[in-house]
Amino acid sequence: MPSNLALSLHFFLQLAVVLFTCWSVGLLLRRLGQPQVVADMVAGFLLGPTLLGLVLPALQGWLFPTTLHLEGDAGSRIAHPSLIVLYVAGQLGLVLYMFVVGMSFRTDVLTGHLRSALGSSVAGVIAPIVTGAVLGWVLASNPTFFDGKVAAWQAALFVGTAMAITAFPMLARIIHENNLGGSPTGTVALACAAVDDTVAWVLLAVVVSSAQGDASVALLALGGGVVYVLVVLTAGRALFARLARWAMDDNGLRPAGLVTTMIILLLCAAYTEAVGIYAVVGAFLFGAAIPRGRFTEALRASIEPVTVRLLLPMFFVYSGLATQFSVLTDPAVLLVLVIMVVVAFLSKGVACTVGARTAGLPWGAAASVGALMNARGLMELVLLNIGLEKGLVTPALYTVLALMTVITTLAATPLYHFIERRYGSPAPPAAGGDVAAKAEAGHATGAPREPSAQPR
């Protein structure tokens, strides 16, 4: 087993390579109109077997080892400790990032566009789940994509869930980097993603519980999630308001205030992870429940730079290590990929566009919501990792869905910009009297903000 010193040195090397690769890919993709978070996702796949493992397999296997052979037992292999360190670092990045996203969520704008958000959410859940379920049902009997232990209805529900999900954190970053934080389009898209992802996590819990033969998994996720939401959005709001007043002084954020907030955040993440709706949901809701003002601005300035530049890329690399693009040499697998991409685009994008338009948004804003909702990146990869870990999907289907994720996410921003040129840029609502509303409105219109809140 590697020593602690060896693991530390290895992690430092991994992190240096990851940051350099993300920066390099970001320089290239920014010329194509892609935000840095998409570059991070692409870099994660390039560092896996897809490119680095194909060109320099020995280097890739040494830099990102996935398994470890036990001494004295040639047939026994365990997950490499280096891989576990990479996973934990990525999960911490996810939690902190979702907390920042929650603090940026505009509940006041959502209230004014609740009908549009609900209309888009319903359409954005039903259409992809139904079409994805049909695909999953057809593929269930194919051992290339599902093993014999997965029932047809479980395969259908998993693929339907994968089609319905939107990468909430990635969508938030795309909205942030396109100055849509306070606009109706950005707010409705975020609200739709929040609803769609919540439904997706509940459905995933149902699939996992059925695969494990234990219905309590789904019941715990549903019941525990409802309890968490009620507590955080009722009694929690009052406690967080007191926390905000105590944590700030004339010089800004007190060290004790930052530490206390981090403790609460980690407890919230641990609770939601334990009940089965996963840590990112708890982190987001905690961030959304904190009162806006100097406190949230100070927290964001302290947390965001290290999170998005240092920790979050680790998750993308961890996900990239599980992809095996060599399976695409099989014509049947390649055909399934093409079908998945087409169905994903149409079922999510068109359905959300029609839903938002029916609910009252103009065509331009509705089409923008539909385009943005196809950004599946981060949360889709979380879902796929869980599916692979639980034995719900084979590496081949994981790769197909992962590549579908990359394609739809890469297309989201250019498609949004095309619609923006056609219909005009959505304007944010007028800022209210509170500090947070003014700060967010200034951000959405391009006014200067704190350096840490600037896009990468």
Side-chain angles (χ1 to χ4, degrees):
M1 292 290 288
S3 66
N4 290 337
L5 177 60
L7 287 174
S8 298
L9 291 175
H10 205 93
F11 178 71
F12 296 153
L13 288 174
Q14 288 176 329
L15 188 54
V17 171
V18 168
L19 295 182
F20 176 77
T21 306
C22 290
W23 174 76
S24 302
V25 175
L27 288 179
L28 175 62
L29 292 188
R30 271 197 293 276
R31 298 187 178 188
L32 303 177
Q34 296 290 346
Q36 180 63 41
V37 67
V38 175
D40 293 346
M41 181 180 70
V42 173
F45 287 106
L46 296 181
L47 289 173
T50 305
L51 181 63
L52 184 59
L54 182 65
V55 177
L56 298 170
L59 175 62
Q60 198 276 337
W62 174 82
L63 187 60
F64 299 105
T66 57
T67 57
L68 180 69
H69 293 275
L70 296 180
E71 295 182 4
D73 190 350
S76 297
R77 294 166 38 163
I78 61 173
H80 198 285
S82 176
L83 185 69
I84 298 173
V85 172
L86 201 63
Y87 173 81
V88 173
Q91 291 299 307
L92 178 60
L94 278 178
V95 168
L96 290 173
Y97 184 59
M98 285 304 296
F99 177 59
V100 172
V101 171
M103 289 191 292
S104 303
F105 191 66
R106 292 287 304 276
T107 55
D108 59 324
V109 179
L110 174 61
T111 302
H113 298 274
L114 187 59
R115 181 186 172 193
S116 301
L118 290 176
S120 299
S121 298
V122 172
V125 168
I126 294 178
I129 284 181
V130 171
T131 54
V134 172
L135 281 174
W137 189 278
V138 172
L139 297 175
S141 59
N142 191 325
T144 302
F145 304 106
F146 293 97
D147 63 30
K149 299 179 181 179
V150 178
W153 72 268
Q154 294 170 333
L157 197 55
F158 183 85
V159 176
T161 302
M163 290 290 181
I165 206 166
T166 295
F168 190 95
M170 183 164 286
L171 174 63
R173 194 67 190 176
I174 292 173
I175 288 173
H176 174 79
E177 296 192 11
N178 283 280
N179 293 329
L180 295 173
S183 71
T185 296
T187 302
V188 170
L190 281 176
C192 292
V195 173
D196 291 2
D197 283 3
T198 299
V199 173
W201 291 127
V202 172
L203 292 177
L204 179 63
V206 171
V207 177
V208 171
S209 65
S210 64
Q212 296 177 347
D214 186 1
S216 64
V217 175
L219 294 176
L220 180 62
L222 181 60
V226 170
V227 170
Y228 180 77
V229 171
L230 291 177
V231 170
V232 168
L233 298 183
T234 55
R237 281 188 178 274
L239 292 175
F240 301 153
R242 296 181 64 181
L243 171 65
R245 291 191 296 270
W246 170 78
M248 300 296 294
D249 58 23
D250 294 338
N251 297 320
L253 181 63
R254 299 169 54 194
L258 176 61
V259 172
T260 302
T261 304
M262 291 297 97
I263 291 173
I264 298 174
L265 169 63
L266 294 174
L267 290 175
C268 289
Y271 171 81
T272 51
E273 183 76 24
V275 300
I277 57 174
Y278 305 104
V280 291
V281 178
F284 168 75
L285 287 175
F286 174 43
I290 292 179
R292 304 298 183 260
R294 291 177 60 233
F295 181 49
T296 51
E297 288 299 311
L299 284 173
R300 185 161 38 226
S302 299
I303 298 169
E304 187 178 34
V306 173
T307 298
V308 300
R309 292 173 175 83
L310 191 67
L311 294 176
L312 194 58
M314 290 282 125
F315 173 79
F316 293 115
V317 172
Y318 180 84
S319 300
L321 295 178
T323 58
Q324 300 177 10
F325 284 6
S326 59
V327 300
L328 298 179
T329 56
D330 184 344
V333 176
L334 188 59
L335 176 62
V336 170
L337 170 63
V338 173
I339 294 173
M340 287 279 189
V341 171
V342 173
V343 170
F345 267 116
L346 295 180
S347 64
K348 192 73 173 179
V350 175
C352 288
T353 298
V354 174
R357 179 69 184 96
T358 303
L361 281 185
W363 273 114
S368 295
V369 170
L372 292 171
M373 289 294 286
N374 258 315
R376 290 177 172 84
L378 193 62
M379 300 307 286
E380 180 84 1
L381 295 179
V382 174
L383 180 143
L384 295 180
N385 282 322
I386 294 172
L388 189 62
E389 178 187 347
K390 301 296 183 182
L392 296 173
V393 299
T394 63
L397 184 57
Y398 177 96
T399 299
V400 166
L401 291 174
L403 190 52
M404 178 272 290
T405 300
V406 174
I407 294 172
T408 56
T409 304
L410 282 172
T413 300
L415 185 56
Y416 163 75
H417 285 306
F418 171 79
I419 296 170
E420 180 186 40
R421 289 192 297 270
R422 176 73 184 273
Y423 292 96
S425 178
D434 63 289
V435 175
K438 291 179 180 178
E440 290 299 326
H443 167 51
T445 55
R449 292 188 58 176
E450 294 296 325
S452 64
Q454 293 293 330
R456 287 188 291 172

